[in-house]
Amino acid sequence: MDSGRKSPLLLQREVQLCAYNRFFLESTVMAEYAQLLTHPVPGVYVLPSDDSPLIWYGLMFVRTGMYQGAVFKFTLSIPMNYPDGGCPAFDFQAGVFHPLVHAETGELDTKKEFQRWRRDVNHLRNLFLYARNIFYSIDTAHTLNGEAARLYTSDPDKYRGRVQESITSCLQVVLNPDPSDSHSVKLGEWHAEVMRAARRHIFEPEFMSESEPDLNNSQTSGLSWVKQNTFEPFSKDS
């Protein structure tokens, strides 16, 4: 008899435990995503992959500072033992020029902020906040891109030039969606006429299609909170 062979009962328990762990993992990750929906990080937009809830795609908009106008794509990879494992991997698209971002792989240095990922203390929202804030406060003490750190301290003008080149090249990548996943965040090119019509529809109530009812004239008699053309409340028209 093979002593190393597992009994059917033990195998059944392992299968049940694996299923429970998978359920717990996905529930935990979706709870983190719900937290982002109720408490969003300004300028950061994410969507779980169509293939796996452990892969998230996102866009980051930088609105002020040296990186103003930048739009960076990124991918978040959550480990299978989350939240008990290490910090999830945060990878920008290639081409982001920053001391804390690897020049070739786009890997963000998370060890500076999350030396040890602490369950019930650290959340994915904290990671997104950290990733966003590196573009507003440049740190050269810990670096994955030595050239960027050197230029930032020794030649700020040249650093700004490289940043602008990075912003331009990364924007082109943003406009080319990843066809391998339907949940990859997509941006279209700016069409001024389309946006102008949308703004008119939102901010000008009189701008409506013929199929939309005219709510101002839909009721000619009855009760009204305010008499027409006055500030007199609780009026009644006959």
Side-chain angles (χ1 to χ4, degrees):
M1 181 177 178
D2 184 6
S3 59
R5 185 177 180 181
K6 297 180 180 179
S7 67
L9 181 59
L10 180 58
L11 288 174
Q12 182 181 9
R13 288 178 177 174
E14 288 184 353
V15 170
Q16 291 173 343
L17 180 61
C18 181
Y20 171 78
N21 288 340
R22 181 72 182 183
F23 173 79
F24 175 77
L25 172 62
E26 293 187 1
S27 299
T28 301
V29 170
M30 289 300 100
E32 295 267 12
Y33 187 69
Q35 183 187 49
L36 280 171
L37 295 180
T38 55
H39 302 285
V41 177
V44 177
Y45 302 87
V46 294
L47 191 66
S49 166
D50 185 37
D51 295 328
S52 170
L54 303 183
I55 303 295
W56 293 11
Y57 299 112
L59 288 176
M60 181 174 297
F61 294 78
V62 184
R63 294 166 177 165
T64 61
M66 189 178 296
Y67 287 83
Q68 182 177 2
V71 184
F72 297 135
K73 292 180 69 174
F74 64 84
T75 302
L76 181 76
S77 303
I78 303 171
M80 286 293 295
N81 58 345
Y82 185 85
D84 296 317
C87 178
F90 195 108
D91 298 305
F92 285 102
Q93 67 193 77
V96 177
F97 191 73
H98 191 282
L100 296 179
V101 179
H102 195 282
E104 296 180 359
T105 65
E107 174 192 359
L108 171 65
D109 181 11
T110 59
K111 295 183 176 61
K112 171 183 175 296
E113 186 74 10
F114 306 100
Q115 295 184 1
R116 183 174 63 88
W117 191 265
R118 294 178 295 171
R119 179 192 183 106
D120 298 328
V121 175
N122 299 129
H123 297 279
L124 297 181
R125 186 177 187 276
N126 304 130
L127 179 55
F128 289 128
L129 281 169
Y130 166 70
R132 184 199 65 167
N133 291 341
I134 69 167
F135 297 105
Y136 296 97
S137 179
I138 312 298
D139 180 14
T140 58
H142 304 80
T143 178
L144 288 182
N145 187 332
E147 181 187 10
R150 179 181 57 80
L151 286 179
Y152 181 78
T153 55
S154 63
D155 194 341
D157 290 337
K158 189 172 183 179
Y159 181 86
R160 290 188 184 91
R162 293 290 299 274
V163 166
Q164 291 304 313
E165 293 175 4
S166 171
I167 292 174
T168 301
S169 63
C170 288
L171 185 58
Q172 296 303 313
V173 176
V174 168
L175 295 176
N176 297 320
D178 181 3
S180 64
D181 195 297
S182 61
H183 285 191
S184 176
V185 182
K186 304 175 180 65
L187 283 184
E189 294 187 7
W190 176 269
H191 296 284
E193 192 60 37
V194 174
M195 296 306 300
R196 191 178 299 116
R199 287 178 60 85
R200 289 180 61 198
H201 194 86
I202 294 172
F203 296 110
E204 301 178 22
E206 68 275 10
F207 177 73
M208 59 179 62
S209 65
E210 295 180 356
S211 61
E212 297 180 21
D214 186 353
L215 298 180
N216 294 327
N217 299 321
S218 61
Q219 181 176 335
T220 58
S221 64
L223 297 176
S224 173
W225 290 108
V226 179
K227 188 175 181 178
Q228 189 173 7
N229 299 324
T230 73
F231 293 102
E232 181 182 347
F234 304 112
S235 63
K236 182 176 180 180
D237 296 332
S238 57

